[in-house]
Amino acid sequence: MDLQLEGKAAVVTGGSRGIGKAVALQLAREGCGVVICARSQGPLEEAAAAIAAETGRRCIPVSADTSKPADLERVVETAARELGGVDILVNNAAQVGGGRNDTLLQGDESLFTDDFNTKMMGYVRASRLAARHMVERGWGRIIIISGTASRYAGGVSGGMRNAAVTNLGAVLAQELGARGVTVNTLQPGAVDTEALPGRLAAMAERQGATADELRQRMAEGNAIGKIVTPAEIANVVAFLASPLSVSITGESISVSGGGGRAIFY
């Protein structure tokens, strides 16, 4: 299927590894020029070079912290200058979950501040900057990476931040739809990224289990019986970024491999 993405300009936050890197790679394969941003310069440049080498498309690394408005302004300005605008924004940058205590009684309040400034406010900042370019063109796609913690009880801060960005997607879809911009939210569950081993190790220490046992539980906790990969999520993102997805906006879509038992959300 031709997703009609040839020549589109995309921005992917948190694009140096995991879901973000897989998304940037898939969009480049479909013909997009891509700007990726992340805080760590080394992995960011390595990801951009690998994506450009594999696809032959421009992949521009911009070091940025989404908790800092000026950094995101630089990211979007780079896309506008180097790629001619911003057609697609994938909001993905976030604190990695599972590494810090996220309970009411023992959790550190700084976790909430870090989570919301990086993810919730980072998504708001990036969306506002990118949407101005999209509205001017009369076309655009914003995809928000949330998480199933917004559907099912998880950590306190993790659930709150994901519920917040899911709500953000629904609100932005209503505001921007008549201007040619669709906004949708994806909710991954456990994803087999580079960060998963560290997350499992931290959880195993707290729970008195082994990392292998926790990995197996995660795999058994969804309908397909395996942990979803970043590439599998990237395929869904690419479709939502396409002109073919015009009838889908304001939606919250689980990409967890059938995690949970809820019929409606």
Side-chain angles (χ1 to χ4, degrees), residues 100-122:
R100 295 168 65 181
N101 194 308
D102 192 10
T103 62
L104 177 66
L105 298 180
Q106 297 179 359
D108 185 336
E109 187 170 314
S110 67
L111 174 61
F112 293 81
T113 304
D114 293 344
D115 268 355
F116 275 76
N117 198 21
T118 299
K119 190 165 188 173
M120 174 63 187
M121 289 309 303

PDB file of all heavy atoms in Angstrom, residues 100-122:
ATOM      1  N   ARG A 100      11.627   4.303  38.663  1.00  0.00           N
ATOM      2  CA  ARG A 100      11.527   4.990  39.945  1.00  0.00           C
ATOM      3  C   ARG A 100      10.239   4.592  40.645  1.00  0.00           C
ATOM      4  O   ARG A 100       9.256   4.234  39.997  1.00  0.00           O
ATOM      5  CB  ARG A 100      11.557   6.513  39.725  1.00  0.00           C
ATOM      6  CG  ARG A 100      12.873   7.016  39.166  1.00  0.00           C
ATOM      7  CD  ARG A 100      12.798   8.455  38.695  1.00  0.00           C
ATOM      8  NE  ARG A 100      12.560   9.384  39.789  1.00  0.00           N
ATOM      9  CZ  ARG A 100      12.433  10.701  39.621  1.00  0.00           C
ATOM     10  NH1 ARG A 100      12.501  11.216  38.405  1.00  0.00           N
ATOM     11  NH2 ARG A 100      12.224  11.493  40.647  1.00  0.00           N
ATOM     12  N   ASN A 101      10.240   4.663  41.959  1.00  0.00           N
ATOM     13  CA  ASN A 101       9.065   4.288  42.736  1.00  0.00           C
ATOM     14  C   ASN A 101       7.914   5.230  42.406  1.00  0.00           C
ATOM     15  O   ASN A 101       8.019   6.452  42.564  1.00  0.00           O
ATOM     16  CB  ASN A 101       9.385   4.341  44.228  1.00  0.00           C
ATOM     17  CG  ASN A 101       8.325   3.654  45.059  1.00  0.00           C
ATOM     18  OD1 ASN A 101       7.138   3.939  44.923  1.00  0.00           O
ATOM     19  ND2 ASN A 101       8.748   2.746  45.920  1.00  0.00           N
ATOM     20  N   ASP A 102       6.810   4.676  41.937  1.00  0.00           N
ATOM     21  CA  ASP A 102       5.671   5.478  41.483  1.00  0.00           C
ATOM     22  C   ASP A 102       4.421   5.130  42.293  1.00  0.00           C
ATOM     23  O   ASP A 102       3.367   4.838  41.751  1.00  0.00           O
ATOM     24  CB  ASP A 102       5.437   5.239  39.985  1.00  0.00           C
ATOM     25  CG  ASP A 102       4.464   6.240  39.372  1.00  0.00           C
ATOM     26  OD1 ASP A 102       4.109   7.228  40.054  1.00  0.00           O
ATOM     27  OD2 ASP A 102       4.041   6.030  38.221  1.00  0.00           O
ATOM     28  N   THR A 103       4.573   5.148  43.613  1.00  0.00           N
ATOM     29  CA  THR A 103       3.442   4.887  44.496  1.00  0.00           C
ATOM     30  C   THR A 103       3.098   6.151  45.264  1.00  0.00           C
ATOM     31  O   THR A 103       3.905   7.084  45.361  1.00  0.00           O
ATOM     32  CB  THR A 103       3.759   3.766  45.502  1.00  0.00           C
ATOM     33  OG1 THR A 103       4.855   4.181  46.331  1.00  0.00           O
ATOM     34  CG2 THR A 103       4.126   2.478  44.784  1.00  0.00           C
ATOM     35  N   LEU A 104       1.914   6.177  45.812  1.00  0.00           N
ATOM     36  CA  LEU A 104       1.462   7.352  46.552  1.00  0.00           C
ATOM     37  C   LEU A 104       2.281   7.569  47.820  1.00  0.00           C
ATOM     38  O   LEU A 104       2.734   8.675  48.111  1.00  0.00           O
ATOM     39  CB  LEU A 104      -0.017   7.199  46.923  1.00  0.00           C
ATOM     40  CG  LEU A 104      -0.611   8.343  47.773  1.00  0.00           C
ATOM     41  CD1 LEU A 104      -0.630   9.641  46.978  1.00  0.00           C
ATOM     42  CD2 LEU A 104      -2.010   7.973  48.245  1.00  0.00           C
ATOM     43  N   LEU A 105       2.502   6.512  48.577  1.00  0.00           N
ATOM     44  CA  LEU A 105       3.102   6.650  49.897  1.00  0.00           C
ATOM     45  C   LEU A 105       4.618   6.748  49.870  1.00  0.00           C
ATOM     46  O   LEU A 105       5.219   7.356  50.747  1.00  0.00           O
ATOM     47  CB  LEU A 105       2.673   5.484  50.795  1.00  0.00           C
ATOM     48  CG  LEU A 105       1.170   5.382  51.072  1.00  0.00           C
ATOM     49  CD1 LEU A 105       0.881   4.185  51.973  1.00  0.00           C
ATOM     50  CD2 LEU A 105       0.639   6.666  51.710  1.00  0.00           C
ATOM     51  N   GLN A 106       5.255   6.146  48.861  1.00  0.00           N
ATOM     52  CA  GLN A 106       6.715   6.121  48.834  1.00  0.00           C
ATOM     53  C   GLN A 106       7.315   6.877  47.658  1.00  0.00           C
ATOM     54  O   GLN A 106       8.520   7.114  47.610  1.00  0.00           O
ATOM     55  CB  GLN A 106       7.205   4.668  48.793  1.00  0.00           C
ATOM     56  CG  GLN A 106       6.803   3.882  50.037  1.00  0.00           C
ATOM     57  CD  GLN A 106       7.272   2.435  49.973  1.00  0.00           C
ATOM     58  OE1 GLN A 106       7.876   2.008  48.999  1.00  0.00           O
ATOM     59  NE2 GLN A 106       6.985   1.676  51.012  1.00  0.00           N
ATOM     60  N   GLY A 107       6.502   7.297  46.707  1.00  0.00           N
ATOM     61  CA  GLY A 107       7.025   7.978  45.528  1.00  0.00           C
ATOM     62  C   GLY A 107       7.554   9.362  45.847  1.00  0.00           C
ATOM     63  O   GLY A 107       7.071  10.049  46.754  1.00  0.00           O
ATOM     64  N   ASP A 108       8.567   9.772  45.109  1.00  0.00           N
ATOM     65  CA  ASP A 108       9.182  11.089  45.256  1.00  0.00           C
ATOM     66  C   ASP A 108       8.405  12.090  44.399  1.00  0.00           C
ATOM     67  O   ASP A 108       8.152  11.860  43.215  1.00  0.00           O
ATOM     68  CB  ASP A 108      10.637  11.005  44.793  1.00  0.00           C
ATOM     69  CG  ASP A 108      11.403  12.295  45.025  1.00  0.00           C
ATOM     70  OD1 ASP A 108      10.789  13.367  45.105  1.00  0.00           O
ATOM     71  OD2 ASP A 108      12.647  12.216  45.114  1.00  0.00           O
ATOM     72  N   GLU A 109       8.045  13.235  44.992  1.00  0.00           N
ATOM     73  CA  GLU A 109       7.248  14.215  44.266  1.00  0.00           C
ATOM     74  C   GLU A 109       7.951  14.728  43.018  1.00  0.00           C
ATOM     75  O   GLU A 109       7.305  15.146  42.056  1.00  0.00           O
ATOM     76  CB  GLU A 109       6.901  15.391  45.193  1.00  0.00           C
ATOM     77  CG  GLU A 109       5.923  16.377  44.572  1.00  0.00           C
ATOM     78  CD  GLU A 109       5.407  17.386  45.582  1.00  0.00           C
ATOM     79  OE1 GLU A 109       5.021  16.965  46.696  1.00  0.00           O
ATOM     80  OE2 GLU A 109       5.389  18.580  45.239  1.00  0.00           O
ATOM     81  N   SER A 110       9.290  14.684  43.002  1.00  0.00           N
ATOM     82  CA  SER A 110      10.012  15.153  41.818  1.00  0.00           C
ATOM     83  C   SER A 110       9.672  14.337  40.581  1.00  0.00           C
ATOM     84  O   SER A 110       9.792  14.824  39.448  1.00  0.00           O
ATOM     85  CB  SER A 110      11.526  15.120  42.067  1.00  0.00           C
ATOM     86  OG  SER A 110      11.992  13.790  42.207  1.00  0.00           O
ATOM     87  N   LEU A 111       9.258  13.080  40.780  1.00  0.00           N
ATOM     88  CA  LEU A 111       8.870  12.247  39.644  1.00  0.00           C
ATOM     89  C   LEU A 111       7.715  12.876  38.879  1.00  0.00           C
ATOM     90  O   LEU A 111       7.700  12.894  37.645  1.00  0.00           O
ATOM     91  CB  LEU A 111       8.483  10.843  40.126  1.00  0.00           C
ATOM     92  CG  LEU A 111       7.915   9.874  39.073  1.00  0.00           C
ATOM     93  CD1 LEU A 111       8.936   9.625  37.972  1.00  0.00           C
ATOM     94  CD2 LEU A 111       7.513   8.565  39.732  1.00  0.00           C
ATOM     95  N   PHE A 112       6.740  13.421  39.618  1.00  0.00           N
ATOM     96  CA  PHE A 112       5.587  14.044  38.976  1.00  0.00           C
ATOM     97  C   PHE A 112       6.017  15.262  38.168  1.00  0.00           C
ATOM     98  O   PHE A 112       5.585  15.458  37.029  1.00  0.00           O
ATOM     99  CB  PHE A 112       4.551  14.456  40.028  1.00  0.00           C
ATOM    100  CG  PHE A 112       3.914  13.300  40.735  1.00  0.00           C
ATOM    101  CD1 PHE A 112       4.561  12.680  41.794  1.00  0.00           C
ATOM    102  CD2 PHE A 112       2.677  12.821  40.348  1.00  0.00           C
ATOM    103  CE1 PHE A 112       3.983  11.607  42.455  1.00  0.00           C
ATOM    104  CE2 PHE A 112       2.092  11.755  41.005  1.00  0.00           C
ATOM    105  CZ  PHE A 112       2.749  11.141  42.056  1.00  0.00           C
ATOM    106  N   THR A 113       6.868  16.076  38.758  1.00  0.00           N
ATOM    107  CA  THR A 113       7.335  17.277  38.066  1.00  0.00           C
ATOM    108  C   THR A 113       8.086  16.917  36.794  1.00  0.00           C
ATOM    109  O   THR A 113       7.843  17.492  35.727  1.00  0.00           O
ATOM    110  CB  THR A 113       8.250  18.098  38.993  1.00  0.00           C
ATOM    111  OG1 THR A 113       7.551  18.401  40.196  1.00  0.00           O
ATOM    112  CG2 THR A 113       8.684  19.387  38.330  1.00  0.00           C
ATOM    113  N   ASP A 114       8.989  15.956  36.905  1.00  0.00           N
ATOM    114  CA  ASP A 114       9.770  15.547  35.733  1.00  0.00           C
ATOM    115  C   ASP A 114       8.874  14.937  34.658  1.00  0.00           C
ATOM    116  O   ASP A 114       9.002  15.244  33.469  1.00  0.00           O
ATOM    117  CB  ASP A 114      10.831  14.520  36.144  1.00  0.00           C
ATOM    118  CG  ASP A 114      11.893  15.110  37.053  1.00  0.00           C
ATOM    119  OD1 ASP A 114      11.983  16.348  37.124  1.00  0.00           O
ATOM    120  OD2 ASP A 114      12.613  14.328  37.699  1.00  0.00           O
ATOM    121  N   ASP A 115       7.956  14.053  35.076  1.00  0.00           N
ATOM    122  CA  ASP A 115       7.054  13.396  34.134  1.00  0.00           C
ATOM    123  C   ASP A 115       6.224  14.403  33.353  1.00  0.00           C
ATOM    124  O   ASP A 115       6.126  14.345  32.122  1.00  0.00           O
ATOM    125  CB  ASP A 115       6.098  12.463  34.890  1.00  0.00           C
ATOM    126  CG  ASP A 115       6.623  11.038  34.984  1.00  0.00           C
ATOM    127  OD1 ASP A 115       7.668  10.758  34.379  1.00  0.00           O
ATOM    128  OD2 ASP A 115       5.984  10.222  35.648  1.00  0.00           O
ATOM    129  N   PHE A 116       5.597  15.324  34.065  1.00  0.00           N
ATOM    130  CA  PHE A 116       4.656  16.229  33.412  1.00  0.00           C
ATOM    131  C   PHE A 116       5.349  17.295  32.593  1.00  0.00           C
ATOM    132  O   PHE A 116       4.867  17.672  31.521  1.00  0.00           O
ATOM    133  CB  PHE A 116       3.712  16.849  34.445  1.00  0.00           C
ATOM    134  CG  PHE A 116       2.528  15.975  34.742  1.00  0.00           C
ATOM    135  CD1 PHE A 116       2.657  14.858  35.551  1.00  0.00           C
ATOM    136  CD2 PHE A 116       1.297  16.220  34.168  1.00  0.00           C
ATOM    137  CE1 PHE A 116       1.583  14.018  35.800  1.00  0.00           C
ATOM    138  CE2 PHE A 116       0.213  15.397  34.409  1.00  0.00           C
ATOM    139  CZ  PHE A 116       0.349  14.298  35.229  1.00  0.00           C
ATOM    140  N   ASN A 117       6.492  17.786  33.054  1.00  0.00           N
ATOM    141  CA  ASN A 117       7.189  18.805  32.281  1.00  0.00           C
ATOM    142  C   ASN A 117       7.767  18.235  31.001  1.00  0.00           C
ATOM    143  O   ASN A 117       7.754  18.884  29.956  1.00  0.00           O
ATOM    144  CB  ASN A 117       8.294  19.446  33.117  1.00  0.00           C
ATOM    145  CG  ASN A 117       8.752  20.777  32.540  1.00  0.00           C
ATOM    146  OD1 ASN A 117       8.043  21.426  31.783  1.00  0.00           O
ATOM    147  ND2 ASN A 117       9.942  21.185  32.914  1.00  0.00           N
ATOM    148  N   THR A 118       8.246  17.002  31.066  1.00  0.00           N
ATOM    149  CA  THR A 118       8.837  16.379  29.879  1.00  0.00           C
ATOM    150  C   THR A 118       7.781  15.862  28.920  1.00  0.00           C
ATOM    151  O   THR A 118       7.840  16.131  27.714  1.00  0.00           O
ATOM    152  CB  THR A 118       9.755  15.211  30.290  1.00  0.00           C
ATOM    153  OG1 THR A 118      10.813  15.719  31.109  1.00  0.00           O
ATOM    154  CG2 THR A 118      10.345  14.523  29.073  1.00  0.00           C
ATOM    155  N   LYS A 119       6.794  15.134  29.431  1.00  0.00           N
ATOM    156  CA  LYS A 119       5.819  14.487  28.546  1.00  0.00           C
ATOM    157  C   LYS A 119       4.614  15.384  28.265  1.00  0.00           C
ATOM    158  O   LYS A 119       4.410  15.823  27.133  1.00  0.00           O
ATOM    159  CB  LYS A 119       5.368  13.153  29.127  1.00  0.00           C
ATOM    160  CG  LYS A 119       4.532  12.327  28.143  1.00  0.00           C
ATOM    161  CD  LYS A 119       4.406  10.884  28.574  1.00  0.00           C
ATOM    162  CE  LYS A 119       3.732  10.036  27.493  1.00  0.00           C
ATOM    163  NZ  LYS A 119       3.730   8.599  27.799  1.00  0.00           N
ATOM    164  N   MET A 120       3.819  15.673  29.271  1.00  0.00           N
ATOM    165  CA  MET A 120       2.602  16.445  29.044  1.00  0.00           C
ATOM    166  C   MET A 120       2.914  17.824  28.454  1.00  0.00           C
ATOM    167  O   MET A 120       2.444  18.184  27.376  1.00  0.00           O
ATOM    168  CB  MET A 120       1.821  16.578  30.360  1.00  0.00           C
ATOM    169  CG  MET A 120       0.613  17.495  30.268  1.00  0.00           C
ATOM    170  SD  MET A 120      -0.630  16.881  29.102  1.00  0.00           S
ATOM    171  CE  MET A 120      -1.773  18.260  29.092  1.00  0.00           C
ATOM    172  N   MET A 121       3.731  18.601  29.146  1.00  0.00           N
ATOM    173  CA  MET A 121       4.025  19.942  28.646  1.00  0.00           C
ATOM    174  C   MET A 121       4.901  19.896  27.404  1.00  0.00           C
ATOM    175  O   MET A 121       4.777  20.748  26.523  1.00  0.00           O
ATOM    176  CB  MET A 121       4.679  20.783  29.745  1.00  0.00           C
ATOM    177  CG  MET A 121       3.730  21.173  30.861  1.00  0.00           C
ATOM    178  SD  MET A 121       2.194  21.938  30.252  1.00  0.00           S
ATOM    179  CE  MET A 121       2.830  23.337  29.306  1.00  0.00           C
ATOM    180  N   GLY A 122       5.774  18.896  27.309  1.00  0.00           N
ATOM    181  CA  GLY A 122       6.554  18.750  26.082  1.00  0.00           C
ATOM    182  C   GLY A 122       5.668  18.521  24.879  1.00  0.00           C
ATOM    183  O   GLY A 122       5.891  19.084  23.796  1.00  0.00           O
TER     184      GLY A 122
END
